[in-house]
Amino acid sequence: MKTSLSILSLLLLLTGTATLPSTAAAQSPAQVQRDPSKLHLASGSALLIDLNTNQELYSNHADRVVPIASVTKLMTAMVVLDAKQPMDEMLTMTIANNPEMKGVYSRVRLGSQLDRRETLLITLMSSENRAANTLANHYPGGYPAFIKAMNAKARSLGMAHTRYVEPTGLSTQNVSTARDLAKLLMASRKYPMLSELSTTREKTVAFRKPNYTLGFRNTDHLVNKSNWDIKLTKTGFTNEAGHCLVLLTRMDNRPVAMVILDAFGKYTHFADASRMRQWLETGAAKPAPAVAMQYKAERQNKGRLAAE
């Protein structure tokens, strides 16, 4: 009897109809908890969230209120999409109503025209300031109504420590926290166009009146790397804000939202993103350069002195 049962069990296994023991089934996809002390980032603030569970995987000064530079433009684009204006409407490029725009260089010619969709594209993909400001000026109710809508949207998303005074991020008064920006990232998943436009690698855009073309590239070079799966991105930089990066991507076989604020150096925010990914997937990460860590320490000391 035992022999026949053994033969039957073997046949069931070979045909794939046997039921695996519950202990084996229980071994799949539980994620390994990582030690935060093994990750040393050069950024002033950082946050990493598992979008499947909303669990915070890593947090460092996530509630610190800081300038956010051109990460602002993610909210700018969201408010434009909420208004549901025609994407093919031609917009006249302008720096009106924004004192921060005076003297800021741009290849885009004032008075030339571009449709709203392409204006959104170069706002998100290449962080074009004149494009962002133009979107605000062509909003129902005009520029003041647009800024009001940005702040109303932030409140509706629970971004309690966020404030916008203009649509580009040039102003240091555009402030937020890593935690607030993670809320913005999570809300952005409901806007497919934000994903499409922000991850476009490059595009040549045709303006009218006068007719000319300009080539634009993505400010986030991670979108060009085959080992990254970027769903949405926005970079930012001013001297006061440092280098900033927000991402929706996949790490360790799960979707995540990542926020990195106030990094030193042209590539440190991208390197910190890679360090965070390496840590999540392996449990350890390469150290940040000493000069970047020194910058972080100096910024933190400056912040403590200002608070006293």
Side-chain angles (χ1 to χ4, degrees), residues 16-216:
T17 56
T19 302
L20 291 173
S22 58
T23 53
Q27 289 176 357
S28 60
Q31 302 286 350
V32 177
Q33 295 294 320
R34 300 302 186 189
D35 181 359
S37 68
K38 302 295 184 181
L39 178 59
H40 302 284
L41 301 180
S43 307
S45 303
L47 185 63
L48 184 66
I49 294 179
D50 184 329
L51 294 176
N52 283 335
T53 63
N54 290 330
Q55 176 191 2
E56 288 187 10
L57 303 172
Y58 179 83
S59 176
N60 181 46
H61 298 298
D63 296 306
R64 178 180 288 166
V65 179
V66 292
I68 57 172
S70 285
V71 173
T72 294
K73 294 183 176 80
L74 184 56
M75 177 62 85
T76 297
M78 188 177 288
V79 169
V80 170
L81 293 178
D82 280 346
K84 301 187 184 304
Q85 296 169 277
M87 287 292 115
D88 59 355
E89 180 183 353
M90 300 302 294
L91 310 183
T92 301
M93 298 294 117
T94 178
I95 61 172
N97 298 305
N98 191 349
E100 302 289 342
M101 295 293 298
K102 293 180 180 179
V104 176
Y105 173 76
S106 173
R107 296 178 299 150
V108 173
R109 302 182 195 180
L110 293 176
S112 61
Q113 295 185 345
L114 189 66
D115 69 44
R116 181 171 281 106
R117 190 182 194 281
E118 297 284 72
T119 304
L120 265 173
L121 170 67
I122 62 176
T123 294
L124 289 170
M125 177 182 73
S126 55
S127 212
E128 170 50 54
N129 290 313
R130 289 185 177 178
N133 201 69
T134 295
L135 290 167
N137 276 280
H138 288 82
Y139 184 79
Y143 187 93
F146 189 85
I147 306 306
K148 185 177 181 180
M150 292 178 75
N151 287 292
K153 185 70 174 181
R155 289 192 299 271
S156 74
L157 296 177
M159 300 170 66
H161 303 288
T162 299
R163 179 180 180 232
Y164 300 101
V165 300
E166 53 86 38
T168 69
L170 289 170
S171 174
T172 58
Q173 295 182 60
N174 282 10
V175 296
S176 188
T177 67
R179 195 177 310 280
D180 274 7
L181 291 174
K183 294 176 182 178
L184 181 61
L185 281 173
M186 288 188 275
S188 72
R189 292 179 294 172
K190 298 179 181 179
Y191 298 77
M193 188 175 287
L194 293 179
S195 175
E196 176 191 349
L197 299 183
S198 73
T199 60
T200 300
R201 296 182 179 183
E202 58 184 355
K203 180 75 180 294
T204 297
V205 175
F207 292 81
R208 297 182 189 174
K209 298 181 180 181
N211 294 335
Y212 66 100
T213 60
L214 291 175
F216 293 90

Side-chain angles (χ1 to χ4, degrees), residues 11-20:
L11 287 172
L12 289 172
L13 285 170
L14 290 173
T15 57
T17 56
T19 302
L20 291 173

Side-chain angles (χ1 to χ4, degrees), residues 301-308:
N301 288 334
K302 183 179 179 181
R304 279 194 290 269
L305 290 173
E308 291 175 357

